[in-house]
Amino acid sequence: MSEEQGAARHGAGTTGEWRAGGSARGRAARHRGGGRTPRTPRTVVAGRIVVGLASAAVLAASGVSWAAYRWVTDGLNTSDALDRVKRNAPRHLDNSVNLLLIGLDSRKDMNGDDLPKEFVQDQLHAGSSDIGYYNTNTLILMHIPADGGKVQAFSIPRDDYVQTFNGDGSSQGHFKIKEAYSNAYTGARERLYREGARGSDLEARSREAGREATLATVQKFLGVPVDHFAEVNLLGFYDIAKVLQPVQVCLKHPVRDRYSGADFPAGLQELNPKQALAFVRQRHGLDGGDLDRTHRQQAFLSSVTHKLKTQGVFDDLGKLRGLFGVVKKDLVVDSKLNVIDFARQAGNLTGGNVEFNTLPTEGPATRNREEVELVDQGKIRALVQAKIGGSTSSPSPSTSPSSSSSPSPSRSSSPSSGPAASPSGPAASAPDGGFAGESVKEGGIPCVN
């Protein structure tokens, strides 16, 4: 958007019309009076003063909005990954919006350099920078209805064994869904390095391939298009928690885990950034394993949005600037997402109008010498379509790769994110065949395991 377009959008055109109208009315009055200027009643003068002050306020607000837009968007990390992926996306049947939240389990900065060792170990409690690689440990698709109704959010368990795809639609094989990003990243990095790419350019282009693969895989898996996305790594999560601290959460039972650093009593409590990261990362020592961790992530998002709503964070300029600073430093969003417009519509996401659902699995199995979660793609697509009301036209699901395909040899070997591989927990399917566990409803401080 050019500055001229932005100015017009924020009210410059209206100001021009107001000025022109005043000039024409003055000429008409002088003509009707035959050269004599009549005395203006005090009420009219007062009215003009009020109009003038109101107009000045509109101009000032427009200027602030435009300045805020430029301040937020200048230096924002954006991606064009969706441009390629949308060519093969299912089509929308209405004006609803699907936003994919991507949590990257990477201990690297935007240039691919390791985060400081002390910070990773002491604050993130996340081992070394070699752990995690470029796996997507969090994938949440948020469906925002066209009519402003309830937002449906779908968490995809990270170990779901599915067919993964590259950005051009070609198949990678069958892997954990979290590995779509790392597989594409590794392949692109090797190819680009041979072609002479180096440094930050090599890192940026390799990550773009990873984003394309994740977006394509989620679209194919769920049978719905992705319109926008936002990607954050561990450092970004930490920084967001730092701006918003303390964040309230609630636990049903006390927990203690040396791998994540989680050490919390039962009940309502407030977390600092280091504790918040441990809260959403813990899976060891939980009966539900990754399922319980997924519910932790949903509960944390619910608590954050509850705080934004009830404590008026959107009206706190200091915290808003802090959040925008995090957006520019730690977050990657698609190039078509208008951050200011999205922030203005955030009331729909912070007013208890979001329901988090966890997609079910059919139980653990071993593939490629790794513990995975088998899935029924047909059932998952049916559950998603039932929740979003058939707002997309999706092709018929292919046969579930989890149960019918032979194991595929792994293209890339990514380091484990913890100790020796262990089952992710019990099958994440509810007794009635619906979503895994209870839905987490945003709007308060939900208590979870």
Side-chain angles (χ1 to χ4, degrees):
M1 180 188 295
S2 68
E3 293 196 22
E4 291 79 3
Q5 290 172 323
R9 178 179 176 183
H10 291 289
T14 303
T15 304
E17 293 170 357
W18 172 74
R19 286 175 177 169
S23 177
R25 285 192 296 270
R27 287 193 298 270
R30 285 192 296 271
H31 178 72
R32 287 193 301 268
R36 181 185 176 187
T37 303
R39 174 174 292 183
T40 305
R42 292 181 179 179
T43 53
V44 175
V45 173
R48 288 178 181 175
I49 292 174
V50 171
V51 171
L53 290 174
S55 301
V58 169
L59 283 173
S62 299
V64 170
S65 297
W66 179 235
Y69 177 83
R70 291 300 300 270
W71 190 89
V72 171
T73 56
D74 285 349
L76 187 65
N77 297 304
T78 60
S79 163
D80 293 323
L82 274 173
D83 291 349
R84 191 180 192 191
V85 175
K86 280 186 174 180
R87 300 170 190 169
N88 299 316
R91 67 186 183 91
H92 272 292
L93 298 181
D94 60 17
N95 293 323
S96 60
V97 173
N98 296 321
L99 171 70
L100 182 65
L101 304 179
I102 302 173
L104 197 60
D105 190 27
S106 172
R107 283 77 163 163
K108 311 283 186 181
D109 63 17
M110 289 297 179
N111 295 320
D113 297 325
D114 290 348
L115 297 176
K117 180 179 178 180
E118 297 76 12
F119 180 76
V120 172
Q121 293 181 343
D122 297 340
Q123 293 301 312
L124 301 187
H125 207 281
S128 73
S129 293
D130 294 328
I131 296 175
Y133 196 51
Y134 288 89
N135 291 327
T136 54
N137 273 359
T138 301
L139 290 171
I140 301 177
L141 182 77
M142 303 190 73
H143 176 79
I144 306 171
D147 61 0
K150 183 178 289 294
V151 175
Q152 295 293 336
F154 305 97
S155 289
I156 307 173
R158 64 176 189 162
D159 290 337
D160 280 6
Y161 185 67
V162 303
Q163 186 174 12
T164 58
F165 295 87
N166 294 307
D168 61 1
S170 61
S171 175
Q172 295 180 351
H174 298 98
F175 297 91
K176 296 179 181 180
I177 196 167
K178 71 178 183 180
E179 296 174 327
Y181 195 117
S182 57
N183 286 347
Y185 171 91
T186 300
R189 187 178 182 87
E190 293 172 352
R191 174 180 56 81
L192 293 168
Y193 188 88
R194 290 194 300 268
E195 295 173 359
R198 297 290 188 274
S200 60
D201 178 61
L202 174 63
E203 178 71 8
R205 293 167 67 184
S206 300
R207 286 200 187 188
E208 196 76 340
R211 294 177 191 117
E212 291 176 351
T214 295
L215 294 165
T217 298
V218 170
Q219 285 189 159
K220 292 273 191 178
F221 180 47
L222 300 183
V224 299
V226 176
D227 304 298
H228 297 292
F229 76 90
E231 172 194 301
V232 66
N233 61 11
L234 290 177
L235 176 60
F237 178 90
Y238 178 90
D239 285 341
I240 291 172
K242 190 174 182 179
V243 173
L244 296 176
Q245 69 173 321
V247 177
Q248 281 192 325
V249 299
C250 180
L251 284 175
K252 295 179 180 178
H253 312 284
V255 296
R256 188 171 187 178
D257 171 42
R258 67 184 181 90
Y259 297 113
S260 65
D263 186 3
F264 308 119
L268 192 67
Q269 53 208 286
E270 295 184 336
L271 305 184
N272 62 32
K274 181 178 179 179
Q275 293 171 322
L277 192 60
F279 177 83
V280 299
R281 292 185 64 243
Q282 182 188 3
R283 65 186 175 95
H284 297 281
L286 300 178
D287 292 340
D290 265 354
L291 173 61
D292 282 343
R293 175 161 73 170
T294 298
H295 288 156
R296 290 268 193 98
Q297 295 168 354
Q298 295 168 348
F300 185 84
L301 287 174
S302 177
S303 296
V304 166
T305 54
H306 177 71
K307 181 168 186 174
L308 291 173
K309 180 70 174 181
T310 59
Q311 298 192 6
V313 174
F314 282 121
D315 299 323
D316 188 320
L317 183 58
K319 289 194 174 183
L320 272 179
R321 288 182 65 88
L323 282 174
F324 285 146
V326 170
V327 167
K328 292 199 288 188
K329 182 169 68 72
D330 299 321
L331 208 65
V332 179
V333 300
D334 67 275
S335 55
K336 303 299 190 299
L337 179 63
N338 188 313
V339 179
I340 295 295
D341 282 352
F342 186 76
R344 286 171 176 164
Q345 298 169 11
N348 197 41
L349 304 179
T350 58
N353 206 27
V354 182
E355 182 178 74
F356 290 95
N357 309 283
T358 304
L359 299 181
T361 68
E362 303 304 311
T366 301
R367 296 289 188 273
N368 302 331
R369 299 189 300 276
E370 290 185 317
E371 290 287 345
V372 303
E373 288 291 337
L374 302 181
V375 296
D376 183 335
Q377 187 180 18
K379 179 166 75 174
I380 286 174
R381 285 190 172 188
L383 285 169
V384 171
Q385 288 296 327
K387 280 287 186 180
I388 66 178
S391 62
T392 60
S393 175
S394 59
S396 300
S398 58
T399 304
S400 171
S402 294
S403 56
S404 64
S405 300
S406 58
S408 303
S410 178
R411 271 187 47 196
S412 62
S413 178
S414 54
S416 171
S417 59
S422 60
S424 300
S429 54
D432 61 358
F435 292 101
E438 296 181 0
S439 296
V440 174
K441 294 178 173 57
E442 186 272 320
I445 313 295
C447 226
V448 293
N449 290 323

